[in-house]
């Protein structure tokens, strides 16, 4: 519950509080890692803590495809264009295989996809995510 509340705090524009709640969840249940780390990585990216966010993504054992794209956004925000573009290519290849309706190069389709996946309350936080995705090469 605390880890989920931490993610919700990030979506509500309070990522530092979200990070604190996720760390508390880990303190109480140190055996959970994958789901907590994914929530932590999102909160860290939202807090503009890109190095830590990328590190959290890199520790995922079997990252969801959205995590690959978010890691690409983190690398893009750090200025590592090569890593960002490579991960974005991986994301798009998997998305083409996994999504029933693959947006391809349609910015509106990708916008709908990310709007449904990351329900940020503050449009500036959502735009921050889109900025990283754009820098990584996603047409959004």
């Amino acid at each position: 519950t605390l880890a989920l509340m931490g993610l919700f705090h990030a979506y509500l524009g309070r990522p530092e509080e979200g990070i604190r709640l996720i760390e508390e969840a880990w303190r109480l249940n140190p055996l959970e890692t994958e789901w907590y780390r994914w929530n932590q990585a999102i909160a860290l990216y939202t807090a503009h803590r890109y190095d830590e966010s990328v590190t959290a993504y890199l520790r995922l054992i079997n990252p969801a495809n959205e995590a690959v794209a978010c890691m690409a956004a983190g690398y893009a925000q750090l200025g590592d264009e090569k890593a960002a573009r490579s991960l974005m290519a991986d994301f798009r290849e998997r998305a083409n295989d996994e999504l029933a309706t693959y947006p391809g190069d349609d910015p509106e389709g990708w916008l709908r996809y990310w709007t449904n996946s990351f329900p940020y309350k503050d449009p500036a936080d959502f735009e921050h995510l889109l900025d990283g995705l754009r820098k990584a090469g996603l047409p959004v």
Side-chain angles (χ1 to χ4, degrees):
T1 300
L2 286 173
L4 188 56
M5 284 176 53
L7 178 63
F8 290 156
H9 274 283
Y11 288 149
L12 291 171
R14 298 188 296 268
E16 294 295 340
E17 176 64 12
I19 294 163
R20 189 193 67 72
L21 288 168
I22 294 163
E23 289 171 352
E24 178 66 10
W26 245 321
R27 188 186 69 73
L28 294 170
N29 181 12
L31 301 178
E32 180 60 63
T33 58
E34 198 77 355
W35 184 65
Y36 288 10
R37 193 164 318 283
W38 174 219
N39 290 349
Q40 179 191 44
I42 293 167
L44 287 164
Y45 180 91
T46 305
H48 299 238
R49 292 166 57 178
Y50 308 121
D51 280 328
E52 294 169 272
S53 177
V54 166
T55 298
Y57 283 122
L58 288 171
R59 290 182 178 150
L60 291 170
I61 296 165
N62 187 23
N65 202 28
E66 290 84 1
V68 173
C70 290
M71 185 169 36
Y75 274 117
Q77 298 292 16
L78 289 169
D80 188 340
E81 185 177 331
K82 183 178 179 183
R85 298 240 173 218
S86 175
L87 286 166
M88 186 54 68
D90 291 347
F91 163 76
R92 291 188 72 179
E93 184 176 322
R94 271 180 64 185
N96 190 23
D97 293 338
E98 293 176 0
L99 298 178
T101 306
Y102 177 66
D105 289 328
D106 175 23
E108 291 301 317
W110 284 116
L111 184 61
R112 282 189 301 277
Y113 175 82
W114 288 101
T115 299
N116 290 331
S117 298
F118 287 78
Y120 284 108
K121 180 180 178 186
D122 185 344
D125 287 331
F126 185 65
E127 182 54 39
H128 171 235
L129 174 63
L130 293 180
D131 178 60
L133 295 171
R134 278 187 205 104
K135 288 177 180 175
L138 190 68
V140 67

